PDB file of all heavy atoms in Angstrom:
ATOM      1  N   THR A   6      58.893 -57.060 173.837  1.00  0.00           N
ATOM      2  CA  THR A   6      58.219 -58.225 173.331  1.00  0.00           C
ATOM      3  C   THR A   6      59.188 -59.141 172.593  1.00  0.00           C
ATOM      4  O   THR A   6      59.205 -60.368 172.782  1.00  0.00           O
ATOM      5  CB  THR A   6      57.093 -57.845 172.373  1.00  0.00           C
ATOM      6  OG1 THR A   6      56.137 -57.055 173.100  1.00  0.00           O
ATOM      7  CG2 THR A   6      56.394 -59.056 171.816  1.00  0.00           C
ATOM      8  N   PRO A  22      63.944 -58.842 180.057  1.00  0.00           N
ATOM      9  CA  PRO A  22      63.026 -57.935 180.778  1.00  0.00           C
ATOM     10  C   PRO A  22      62.083 -58.717 181.670  1.00  0.00           C
ATOM     11  O   PRO A  22      61.833 -59.925 181.488  1.00  0.00           O
ATOM     12  CB  PRO A  22      62.272 -57.229 179.679  1.00  0.00           C
ATOM     13  CG  PRO A  22      62.293 -58.191 178.518  1.00  0.00           C
ATOM     14  CD  PRO A  22      63.624 -58.898 178.614  1.00  0.00           C
ATOM     15  N   CYS A  51      76.450 -73.209 155.708  1.00  0.00           N
ATOM     16  CA  CYS A  51      76.595 -73.867 154.414  1.00  0.00           C
ATOM     17  C   CYS A  51      77.559 -73.035 153.534  1.00  0.00           C
ATOM     18  O   CYS A  51      78.394 -73.574 152.788  1.00  0.00           O
ATOM     19  CB  CYS A  51      75.272 -74.025 153.704  1.00  0.00           C
ATOM     20  SG  CYS A  51      74.237 -75.362 154.392  1.00  0.00           S
ATOM     21  N   ALA A  53      79.992 -71.088 154.641  1.00  0.00           N
ATOM     22  CA  ALA A  53      81.342 -71.285 155.173  1.00  0.00           C
ATOM     23  C   ALA A  53      81.907 -72.637 154.784  1.00  0.00           C
ATOM     24  O   ALA A  53      83.080 -72.762 154.464  1.00  0.00           O
ATOM     25  CB  ALA A  53      81.295 -71.124 156.706  1.00  0.00           C
ATOM     26  N   LEU A  57      85.289 -73.272 152.543  1.00  0.00           N
ATOM     27  CA  LEU A  57      86.421 -73.962 153.156  1.00  0.00           C
ATOM     28  C   LEU A  57      86.543 -75.408 152.752  1.00  0.00           C
ATOM     29  O   LEU A  57      87.432 -76.125 153.282  1.00  0.00           O
ATOM     30  CB  LEU A  57      86.320 -73.849 154.668  1.00  0.00           C
ATOM     31  CG  LEU A  57      86.311 -72.433 155.270  1.00  0.00           C
ATOM     32  CD1 LEU A  57      86.059 -72.457 156.761  1.00  0.00           C
ATOM     33  CD2 LEU A  57      87.640 -71.721 154.977  1.00  0.00           C
ATOM     34  N   LEU A  62      80.260 -84.746 156.172  1.00  0.00           N
ATOM     35  CA  LEU A  62      79.901 -85.191 157.519  1.00  0.00           C
ATOM     36  C   LEU A  62      79.969 -84.034 158.525  1.00  0.00           C
ATOM     37  O   LEU A  62      79.076 -83.877 159.378  1.00  0.00           O
ATOM     38  CB  LEU A  62      80.820 -86.320 158.003  1.00  0.00           C
ATOM     39  CG  LEU A  62      80.551 -87.707 157.395  1.00  0.00           C
ATOM     40  CD1 LEU A  62      81.624 -88.704 157.854  1.00  0.00           C
ATOM     41  CD2 LEU A  62      79.189 -88.215 157.838  1.00  0.00           C
ATOM     42  N   PRO A  72      70.269 -75.751 165.198  1.00  0.00           N
ATOM     43  CA  PRO A  72      68.979 -75.470 165.819  1.00  0.00           C
ATOM     44  C   PRO A  72      68.961 -75.736 167.286  1.00  0.00           C
ATOM     45  O   PRO A  72      68.290 -75.022 168.093  1.00  0.00           O
ATOM     46  CB  PRO A  72      68.023 -76.417 165.077  1.00  0.00           C
ATOM     47  CG  PRO A  72      68.706 -76.681 163.752  1.00  0.00           C
ATOM     48  CD  PRO A  72      70.135 -76.708 164.085  1.00  0.00           C
ATOM     49  N   GLN A 101      49.965 -86.743 182.131  1.00  0.00           N
ATOM     50  CA  GLN A 101      50.312 -85.437 182.624  1.00  0.00           C
ATOM     51  C   GLN A 101      51.295 -85.538 183.788  1.00  0.00           C
ATOM     52  O   GLN A 101      52.229 -84.686 183.874  1.00  0.00           O
ATOM     53  CB  GLN A 101      49.068 -84.648 183.056  1.00  0.00           C
ATOM     54  CG  GLN A 101      48.178 -84.167 181.918  1.00  0.00           C
ATOM     55  CD  GLN A 101      48.865 -83.128 181.075  1.00  0.00           C
ATOM     56  OE1 GLN A 101      49.781 -82.441 181.504  1.00  0.00           O
ATOM     57  NE2 GLN A 101      48.383 -83.002 179.845  1.00  0.00           N
ATOM     58  N   LEU A 104      54.691 -86.074 182.276  1.00  0.00           N
ATOM     59  CA  LEU A 104      55.216 -84.852 181.678  1.00  0.00           C
ATOM     60  C   LEU A 104      55.853 -83.953 182.740  1.00  0.00           C
ATOM     61  O   LEU A 104      56.847 -83.235 182.452  1.00  0.00           O
ATOM     62  CB  LEU A 104      54.095 -84.044 180.980  1.00  0.00           C
ATOM     63  CG  LEU A 104      53.530 -84.612 179.667  1.00  0.00           C
ATOM     64  CD1 LEU A 104      52.461 -83.711 179.128  1.00  0.00           C
ATOM     65  CD2 LEU A 104      54.650 -84.739 178.636  1.00  0.00           C
ATOM     66  N   CYS A 128      70.806 -84.390 157.261  1.00  0.00           N
ATOM     67  CA  CYS A 128      71.614 -83.194 157.057  1.00  0.00           C
ATOM     68  C   CYS A 128      72.875 -83.508 156.245  1.00  0.00           C
ATOM     69  O   CYS A 128      73.352 -82.665 155.458  1.00  0.00           O
ATOM     70  CB  CYS A 128      72.050 -82.577 158.390  1.00  0.00           C
ATOM     71  SG  CYS A 128      70.678 -81.772 159.288  1.00  0.00           S
ATOM     72  N   GLU A 132      71.631 -81.880 149.760  1.00  0.00           N
ATOM     73  CA  GLU A 132      72.370 -81.064 148.821  1.00  0.00           C
ATOM     74  C   GLU A 132      72.087 -79.611 149.144  1.00  0.00           C
ATOM     75  O   GLU A 132      70.981 -79.146 148.953  1.00  0.00           O
ATOM     76  CB  GLU A 132      71.931 -81.378 147.393  1.00  0.00           C
ATOM     77  CG  GLU A 132      72.232 -82.837 146.982  1.00  0.00           C
ATOM     78  CD  GLU A 132      71.647 -83.144 145.597  1.00  0.00           C
ATOM     79  OE1 GLU A 132      71.416 -82.174 144.818  1.00  0.00           O
ATOM     80  OE2 GLU A 132      71.446 -84.327 145.330  1.00  0.00           O
ATOM     81  N   VAL A 146      60.404 -71.215 160.063  1.00  0.00           N
ATOM     82  CA  VAL A 146      59.439 -70.173 160.392  1.00  0.00           C
ATOM     83  C   VAL A 146      58.023 -70.797 160.498  1.00  0.00           C
ATOM     84  O   VAL A 146      57.290 -70.536 161.471  1.00  0.00           O
ATOM     85  CB  VAL A 146      59.442 -69.084 159.300  1.00  0.00           C
ATOM     86  CG1 VAL A 146      58.288 -68.072 159.566  1.00  0.00           C
ATOM     87  CG2 VAL A 146      60.758 -68.340 159.348  1.00  0.00           C
ATOM     88  N   VAL A 187      51.432 -65.438 158.902  1.00  0.00           N
ATOM     89  CA  VAL A 187      52.804 -65.933 158.793  1.00  0.00           C
ATOM     90  C   VAL A 187      52.804 -67.370 158.235  1.00  0.00           C
ATOM     91  O   VAL A 187      53.654 -67.730 157.420  1.00  0.00           O
ATOM     92  CB  VAL A 187      53.477 -65.915 160.156  1.00  0.00           C
ATOM     93  CG1 VAL A 187      54.872 -66.563 160.083  1.00  0.00           C
ATOM     94  CG2 VAL A 187      53.637 -64.445 160.641  1.00  0.00           C
ATOM     95  N   ALA A 208      53.138 -80.116 153.071  1.00  0.00           N
ATOM     96  CA  ALA A 208      52.194 -81.205 153.415  1.00  0.00           C
ATOM     97  C   ALA A 208      52.697 -81.978 154.634  1.00  0.00           C
ATOM     98  O   ALA A 208      51.883 -82.348 155.496  1.00  0.00           O
ATOM     99  CB  ALA A 208      52.038 -82.151 152.203  1.00  0.00           C
ATOM    100  N   ILE A 228      46.691 -79.321 174.893  1.00  0.00           N
ATOM    101  CA  ILE A 228      48.114 -79.085 174.631  1.00  0.00           C
ATOM    102  C   ILE A 228      48.839 -78.540 175.830  1.00  0.00           C
ATOM    103  O   ILE A 228      48.200 -78.079 176.789  1.00  0.00           O
ATOM    104  CB  ILE A 228      48.362 -78.170 173.401  1.00  0.00           C
ATOM    105  CG1 ILE A 228      47.878 -76.745 173.750  1.00  0.00           C
ATOM    106  CG2 ILE A 228      47.660 -78.689 172.171  1.00  0.00           C
ATOM    107  CD1 ILE A 228      48.325 -75.723 172.711  1.00  0.00           C
ATOM    108  N   GLN A 252      64.778 -84.253 146.837  1.00  0.00           N
ATOM    109  CA  GLN A 252      66.037 -84.150 146.092  1.00  0.00           C
ATOM    110  C   GLN A 252      66.455 -85.486 145.524  1.00  0.00           C
ATOM    111  O   GLN A 252      67.056 -85.557 144.430  1.00  0.00           O
ATOM    112  CB  GLN A 252      67.141 -83.588 146.977  1.00  0.00           C
ATOM    113  CG  GLN A 252      66.996 -82.144 147.337  1.00  0.00           C
ATOM    114  CD  GLN A 252      68.176 -81.637 148.145  1.00  0.00           C
ATOM    115  OE1 GLN A 252      68.802 -82.371 148.921  1.00  0.00           O
ATOM    116  NE2 GLN A 252      68.509 -80.378 147.942  1.00  0.00           N
TER     117      GLN A 252
END
Side-chain angles (χ1 to χ4, degrees):
T6 299
C51 287
L57 299 174
L62 283 174
Q101 287 294 337
L104 287 181
C128 288
E132 297 174 22
V146 173
V187 174
I228 67 169
Q252 288 185 328

